[in-house]
Amino acid sequence: MKRFFTDLHIHIGRTFTGKPVKITGAKSLTFTNIIRHARNEKGLDIIGIIDCHSPEVILEIEDLAQKGLVTEHRDGGLQYGDLTIIPGSELEIYDEFCKGPIHVLCFFPTLSAMKVFSVWLSGHLKNITLSSQRIYAPGRILQKKVKELNGLFIPAHVFTPFKSLFGKGVERSLSEVFDPGLIDAIELGLSADTKMADQIAELHRYTFLTNSDAHSLKKIAREYQILEMESPTFADLKKALAGKEKCKVKANFGLDPLLGKYHQTVCSECFAPFDGAKGICRNCGYHKFIKGVADRISELKSSGELLVERPPYIHQVPLEFIPGLGPKMLEKLLNHFGTEMAILHDVPLSEISKVIPEKTARLIGKAREGTLNLKAGGGGKYGKITDT
């Protein structure tokens, strides 16, 4: 078995002609730029690009294929050199069974399957060219269509307060909206980790994923996982999510939940920590709040023994969060050591300290170990590293 660094939630900001796909995504996030950056600078082995249903994105992939830059693997997935691309789509479900909108990820083994899915979607969306669009079909119907095309169905960032399964979408259980047997994995999002999610018994059966939900090139791989598989293909990815034939998620790497944008409950007016017991903000007196992930999970937690052993969840801080490590210093590191994955996992700290100040190198060491001091985030604002 081999290790593969994997981030399965990367948005496309613009098509190759400059048309918007993910409106909030950076203009530099074209399909071509993503695959180059993910391979050459981030050092990833497998990526999921989840706006590939957009017709112009399909045209760009076909153009790269005609030029011989992208090929299809016989076991599923697109190959760009030694990088595997899993084509996917993020959609918003808000059917009659939902309490609020829910984002989901749908992945497919081939470009031809994605094209069929795109045609089907065009009859259920108002705008097929854009990302994260509301689908006018029940969640269970979408699940069945994905499975007809041999795809993977994964609820996205399931605890965030907005547009997620447990944030707004259901009262208590995913079975209110979905067929539990047609879910392949659960994406945790940036404000929860394995320990938090496993307080909910119905999630024990699923593999957990940690992905970046990148809206810019630099955000790629801020969360990721190591997959242990024979080869970087769609077929082995499917096995890894099911834990079959020794394929598995070896480790999850993500932000400490305290750094997440929605970890604690905050006042929706001034974003100060909100005292739910008193029902009023102690800072400004406002009565409305944004419920944090920690409090929402506390509401949902249930009894039930976890019968399977989870892979380790490593609280690793992305390089861009490290105090003092600006773009020029990061570029210097990349010039010396190749990729961010190499810097975070393989390069000895003694070598890193020869290239950048020892103080900053020590912080990278703490980031690897998960021992940085943190201040909690909430209400859409990231937490902060307090080490200096």
Side-chain angles (χ1 to χ4, degrees), residues 141-160:
I141 295 298
L142 175 61
Q143 285 182 285
K144 290 178 180 178
K145 187 63 183 180
V146 171
K147 293 304 172 181
E148 283 177 16
L149 296 170
N150 298 312
L152 298 170
F153 184 89
I154 302 169
H157 45 73
V158 296
F159 297 114
T160 53

Side-chain angles (χ1 to χ4, degrees), residues 340-372:
E340 290 191 22
M341 292 300 108
I343 295 164
L344 284 168
H345 290 272
D346 300 324
V347 180
L349 290 178
S350 58
E351 293 300 311
I352 291 175
S353 62
K354 294 177 183 178
V355 178
I356 62 173
E358 186 175 348
K359 177 181 177 181
T360 308
R362 282 201 304 269
L363 292 180
I364 292 176
K366 285 188 173 184
R368 287 178 173 181
E369 298 164 0
T371 58
L372 288 166

Side-chain angles (χ1 to χ4, degrees), residues 159-234:
F159 297 114
T160 53
F162 309 107
K163 300 184 177 181
S164 78
L165 179 62
F166 293 112
K168 291 285 187 181
V170 298
E171 187 171 339
R172 292 204 63 85
S173 172
L174 59 83
S175 62
E176 295 167 31
V177 179
F178 298 127
D179 179 342
L182 299 182
I183 292 174
D184 294 285
I186 294 291
E187 184 186 69
L188 296 183
L190 302 174
S191 296
D193 59 15
T194 295
K195 184 177 180 180
M196 294 173 68
D198 268 333
Q199 295 178 67
I200 302 172
E202 71 173 347
L203 297 184
H204 291 174
R205 65 186 288 189
Y206 301 111
T207 294
F208 291 159
L209 295 176
T210 41
N211 299 314
S212 69
D213 194 1
H215 286 50
S216 65
L217 292 173
K218 70 178 183 178
K219 297 294 186 187
I220 293 173
R222 62 179 167 180
E223 293 201 345
Y224 57 96
Q225 48 268 307
I226 291 177
L227 301 182
E228 193 169 84
M229 309 185 301
E230 286 285 353
S231 60
T233 64
F234 186 92

